[in-house]
């Protein structure tokens, strides 16, 4: 009698999920005894709709759920110390890491200032229409918004100096860019290849002068601009 195929591939000691059958469907509960979800463990599991993370999981790679476009619900055991879910988003408890935005998150998303980095493909497959990037970011990494087809507007702070390749590739709904600096400052940003949706949207509708990215141009923005000029 043939053995039933297992939906996940474990390390020899059974503590790490290293891979998963892309055909896994519905809800999947990570087994007790697993402590680590490795690089790309559930990548492109497009039929996975819910993941349940038990208390014993202590490490989840930022690419673990990349391409899981149908993942509507993420549940973390209340006794899990390193991770939490806030408004449908999987974060580290200290809010310095973001792992996955579930497909249930819609509308505007303000990136928390506490985050220390943003993984590639983070917004792919989400229903987010607007993103506000915090003013301490100096670069936007590759493929961050790639194939986020619902994204209509993005707020980019004056601190940004470079936008990596494929960052906005496939963002077919992008229409508006809110930028904290002047037109000349925008032209100085190093925008890499495969970002045509961004450059086209910026050419059509870029809102300048909103330094603190609150979408209101006032004396606070003027003070921030003066400080920026002094530093540069």
């Amino acid at each position: 009698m043939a053995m039933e195929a297992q939906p996940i591939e474990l390390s020899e000691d059974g503590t790490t999920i290293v891979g998963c059958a892309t055909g896994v469907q519905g809800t999947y509960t990570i087994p007790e005894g697993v402590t680590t979800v490795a690089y790309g463990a559930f990548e492109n599991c497009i039929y996975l709709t819910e993941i349940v993370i038990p208390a014993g999981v202590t490490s989840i790679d930022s690419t673990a759920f990349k391409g899981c476009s149908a993942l509507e619900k993420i549940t973390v055991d209340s006794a899990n110390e390193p991770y939490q879910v806030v408004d449908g988003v999987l974060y580290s408890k200290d809010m310095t890491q973001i792992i996955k935005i579930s497909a249930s998150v819609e509308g505007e998303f303000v990136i928390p200032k506490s985050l220390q980095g943003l993984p590639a493909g983070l917004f792919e497959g989400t229903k987010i229409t607007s993103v506000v990037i915090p003013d301490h970011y100096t670069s936007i990494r590759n493929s961050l918004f790639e194939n986020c087809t619902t994204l209509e507007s993005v707020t980019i702070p004056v601190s940004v100096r470079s936008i990596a390749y494929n960052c906005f590739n496939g963002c077919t709904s992008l229409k508006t860019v809110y930028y904290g600096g002047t037109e000349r400052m925008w032209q100085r940003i190093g925008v890499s290849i495969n970002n045509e949706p961004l450059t086209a949207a910026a050419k059509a509708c870029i809102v300048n002068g909103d330094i603190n990215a609150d979408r209101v141009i006032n004396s606070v923005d003027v003070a921030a601009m003066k400080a920026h000029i002094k530093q540069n």
Side-chain angles (χ1 to χ4, degrees):
M1 182 176 179
M3 293 182 64
E4 183 179 352
Q6 295 299 309
I8 60 169
E9 180 184 354
L10 293 172
S11 59
E12 288 187 7
D13 63 4
T15 62
T16 302
I17 298 178
V18 297
C20 180
T22 55
V24 66
Q25 299 182 40
T27 301
Y28 183 78
T29 301
I30 294 175
E32 295 295 333
V34 169
T35 60
T36 303
V37 184
Y39 177 93
F42 290 89
E43 187 169 3
N44 295 327
C45 287
I46 60 174
Y47 303 110
L48 180 67
T49 58
E50 180 181 2
I51 190 77
V52 180
I53 302 169
V57 174
T58 57
S59 177
I60 304 174
D61 190 87
S62 62
T63 65
F65 302 104
K66 188 176 185 295
C68 294
S69 55
L71 187 57
E72 292 272 347
K73 187 175 182 181
I74 304 170
T75 302
V76 177
D77 191 293
S78 59
N80 186 290
E81 293 184 1
Y83 298 103
Q84 63 177 335
V85 175
V86 179
D87 298 328
V89 182
L90 179 60
Y91 295 100
S92 60
K93 273 278 176 71
D94 62 4
M95 294 294 288
T96 60
Q97 292 179 290
I98 184 170
I99 294 93
K100 181 65 178 178
I101 300 174
S102 70
S104 63
V105 179
E106 301 179 356
E108 182 177 77
F109 184 78
V110 179
I111 297 172
K113 290 186 177 182
S114 58
L115 293 181
Q116 295 179 351
L118 301 169
L122 179 63
F123 292 93
E124 182 180 7
T126 67
K127 300 182 183 73
I128 290 171
T129 57
S130 177
V131 174
V132 178
I133 300 171
D135 57 13
H136 66 282
Y137 278 87
T138 58
S139 63
I140 306 176
R141 71 160 301 158
N142 61 292
S143 304
L144 181 62
F145 299 100
E146 187 170 22
N147 295 324
C148 183
T149 57
T150 58
L151 185 66
E152 297 177 0
S153 71
V154 60
T155 300
I156 298 175
V158 70
S159 56
V160 169
R161 297 286 189 273
S162 64
I163 298 172
Y165 65 93
N166 290 339
C167 185
F168 290 91
N169 187 37
C171 294
T172 53
S173 298
L174 187 60
K175 300 181 181 69
T176 306
V177 179
Y178 295 95
Y179 176 60
T182 65
E183 184 68 29
R184 179 176 292 183
M185 291 165 68
W186 174 259
Q187 295 300 328
R188 290 175 180 171
I189 295 177
V191 181
S192 190
I193 60 171
N194 294 338
N195 281 303
E196 287 78 10
L198 174 71
T199 54
K203 187 177 294 185
C205 186
I206 184 167
V207 181
N208 296 309
D210 185 15
I211 307 302
N212 63 351
D214 64 355
R215 299 185 184 179
V216 177
I217 299 173
N218 53 30
S219 60
V220 175
D221 297 297
V222 174
M225 175 66 79
K226 287 180 179 178
H228 173 78
I229 293 172
K230 186 175 182 181
Q231 291 172 4
N232 292 273

